[in-house]
């Protein structure tokens, strides 16, 4: 069974990539990949593509795990009526690529 980490890129993750966190804080996503082994990372993002690219490049420096990004244009990052369909779309696509992981 392959382990795939699926998560939204958050502001704290972006701040970590820019060196804006105190101490050795890496942010939630980098901390997750440091804590457990994964075969792939699927990120969902609603931030500007350039900001996400900076984060992904930084994250690639933390690990050699393959990273994919699904970009979504949300009206609000807290609107569950937008978030839920976006998650479903990404998960359906992942299920095709990793049928034994979900």
């Amino acid at each position: 069974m392959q382990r795939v980490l699926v998560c939204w890129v958050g502001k704290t993750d972006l701040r970590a990539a820019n060196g804006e966190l105190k101490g050795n804080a890496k942010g939630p996503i980098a901390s997750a990949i440091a804590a457990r082994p994964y075969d792939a990372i699927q990120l969902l993002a609603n931030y500007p593509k350039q900001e996400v690219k900076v984060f992904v490049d930084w994250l690639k420096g933390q690990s050699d795990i393959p990273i994919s990004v699904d970009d979504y244009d949300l009206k609000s990052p807290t609107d569950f009526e937008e978030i839920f369909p976006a998650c479903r779309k990404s998960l359906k696509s992942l299920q095709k690529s990793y049928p034994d992981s979900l």
Side-chain angles (χ1 to χ4, degrees):
M1 177 188 299
Q2 293 191 316
R3 295 178 183 182
V4 180
L5 175 65
V6 180
C7 51
W8 282 95
V9 175
K11 190 65 173 176
T12 302
D13 298 303
L14 298 177
R15 290 181 60 226
N18 290 319
E20 297 173 11
L21 301 183
K22 292 182 180 180
N24 293 329
K26 294 183 176 185
I29 295 174
S31 296
I33 65 172
R36 292 197 169 96
Y38 293 99
D39 299 301
I41 300 170
Q42 178 64 53
L43 300 176
L44 291 77
N46 63 301
Y47 286 97
K49 288 183 182 186
Q50 183 55 36
E51 287 183 54
V52 175
K53 182 185 180 322
V54 168
F55 172 69
V56 170
D57 290 345
W58 174 81
L59 193 60
K60 286 180 179 178
Q62 309 293 313
S63 170
D64 60 355
I65 302 168
I67 301 170
S68 298
V69 180
D70 288 339
D71 291 303
Y72 291 101
D73 185 20
L74 304 178
K75 293 176 189 166
S76 168
T78 60
D79 184 348
F80 293 109
E81 289 185 17
E82 285 186 304
I83 294 169
F84 184 73
C87 290
R88 284 187 59 113
K89 181 178 179 182
S90 291
L91 291 174
K92 280 186 177 189
S93 178
L94 270 175
Q95 192 170 22
K96 291 175 186 173
S97 298
Y98 301 98
D100 63 337
S101 296
L102 301 173

